[in-house]
């Protein structure tokens, strides 16, 4: 059983490489490599070609990745009907399941968080750059994590949108100490620093880790662990 790093973080911030930016010919060895280089969890981007204009990974990939690394899998559901997929991803071995408030809100979102908990996973709720934080009212207190998107979701390698940092600052103030605050999109060494200062404690990074030969050093620098 893989320990859930959102409940028992070994340290903060946590670094979550996004497998979307890995070499898809070698998914297993890519996951193992980032674990060996110091990653804390593995971020898995699920896209349905409807909620976002791209198609990516399904539960079979999550199940296969379980054999390649023991990193907790943080599954980011960018799909229009997350309620139809939580069970299959939980059964495949996901540790955390995040869905979007734009896809499921109000009492339905609270029910979905409860279902995710009943499936043995932690639950995250995400919001896109144009979505106001108020959309999370009444819902976020039930979640283990809030994921602030710092790009419009769909693709790896996009530019960070600094205007979302005000949402991170606001949310850090609203969330309890045991609720994680994740940021996703365009995170590199400079933007990681800004996100950490604003209060994020889980950093998703795709291109800046997987498309970089110096992965170990990059993970350390993203975490804010600079050489003395
Ligand atoms: C974007 C995804 C991200 C993406 C991050 O839609 O949710 O997780 O893979 O990639 P980078 O860090 O390259 O922006
Ligand atoms: Zn993501």
């Amino acid at each position: 059983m893989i320990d859930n790093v959102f409940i028992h973080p070994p340290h903060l911030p946590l670094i979550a490489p996004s497998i979307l930016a890995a070499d898809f010919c070698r998914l297993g060895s890519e996951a193992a490599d980032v674990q060996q280089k110091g990653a804390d969890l593995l971020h898995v981007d699920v896209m349905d070609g409807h909620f976002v204009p791209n198609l990516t990974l399904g539960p079979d990939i999550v199940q296969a990745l379980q054999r390649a690394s023991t990193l907790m899998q943080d599954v980011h559901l960018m799909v229009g009907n997350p309620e139809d997929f939580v069970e299959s991803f939980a059964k495949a071995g996901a540790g955390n399941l995040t869905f979007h408030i734009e896809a499921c809100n109000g009492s339905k979102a609270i029910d979905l968080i409860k279902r995710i908990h009943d499936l043995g996973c932690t639950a995250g709720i995400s919001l896109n750059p144009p979505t106001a934080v108020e959309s999370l009212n009444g819902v976020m207190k039930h979640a283990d994590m809030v994921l602030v998107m710092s790009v419009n979701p769909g693709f790896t390698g996009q530019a960070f949108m600094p205007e979302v940092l005000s949402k991170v600052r606001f949310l850090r103030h609203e969330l309890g100490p045991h609720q994680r605050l994740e940021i996703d999109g365009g995170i590199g060494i400079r933007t990681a620093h800004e996100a950490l200062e604003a209060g994020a404690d889980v950093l998703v990074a795709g291109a800046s880790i997987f498309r970089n030969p110096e992965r170990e050093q990059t993970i350390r620098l993203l975490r804010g662990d600079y050489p003395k």
Side-chain angles (χ1 to χ4, degrees):
M1 187 69 185
I2 296 171
D3 198 23
N4 191 310
V5 291
F6 285 164
I7 301 173
H8 307 289
H11 47 234
L12 291 172
L14 300 169
I15 305 298
S18 166
I19 198 78
L20 186 60
D23 178 351
F24 273 22
C25 277
R26 304 185 301 111
L27 275 188
S29 55
E30 290 278 79
D33 185 61
V34 290
Q35 176 164 23
Q36 205 235 327
K37 305 267 164 72
D40 301 295
L41 62 159
L42 195 64
H43 185 83
V44 180
D45 287 306
V46 176
M47 304 186 186
D48 66 353
H50 171 70
F51 183 76
V52 285
N54 198 2
L55 289 168
T56 57
L57 313 165
D60 291 347
I61 300 279
V62 168
Q63 193 171 22
L65 284 171
Q66 295 279 101
R67 301 199 301 273
S69 100
T70 56
L71 290 174
M72 174 179 120
Q73 290 189 56
D74 170 30
V75 173
H76 179 188
L77 296 170
M78 286 162 278
V79 302
N81 49 344
E83 60 283 358
D84 293 345
F85 290 102
V86 290
E87 191 168 340
S88 55
F89 279 101
K91 284 193 174 145
N96 179 75
L97 291 168
T98 295
F99 65 93
H100 273 255
I101 197 73
E102 300 87 358
C104 179
N105 56 31
S107 62
K108 279 189 173 168
I110 297 170
D111 289 347
L112 187 54
I113 291 171
K114 287 191 185 133
R115 248 183 89 204
I116 292 171
H117 288 158
D118 289 344
L119 289 162
C121 298
T122 50
I125 182 83
S126 183
L127 75 174
N128 284 334
T131 305
V133 270
E134 289 74 24
S135 66
L136 301 175
N137 286 352
V139 176
M140 69 181 168
K141 65 170 183 270
H142 300 278
D144 303 284
M145 182 270 270
V146 173
L147 167 52
V148 175
M149 288 306 302
S150 41
V151 296
N152 286 311
F155 302 92
T156 191
Q158 301 184 76
F160 181 78
M161 297 168 74
E163 58 270 33
V164 306
L165 289 171
S166 57
K167 288 196 239 184
V168 175
R169 280 186 210 101
F170 175 81
L171 286 164
R172 184 68 282 166
H173 191 256
E174 295 294 304
L175 294 172
H178 303 296
Q179 289 179 296
R180 303 275 70 88
L181 181 50
E182 185 171 275
I183 188 159
D184 182 9
I187 294 291
I189 290 158
R190 184 182 55 79
T191 53
H193 184 72
E194 292 172 20
L196 293 176
E197 276 207 334
D201 58 21
V202 185
L203 305 178
V204 176
S208 70
I209 294 177
F210 278 110
R211 304 198 176 157
N212 183 332
E214 298 295 333
R215 292 179 178 178
E216 190 166 0
Q217 191 194 18
T218 303
I219 289 171
R220 269 208 313 274
L221 293 174
L222 287 172
R223 197 178 268 128
D225 188 0
Y226 299 106
K228 307 265 180 305

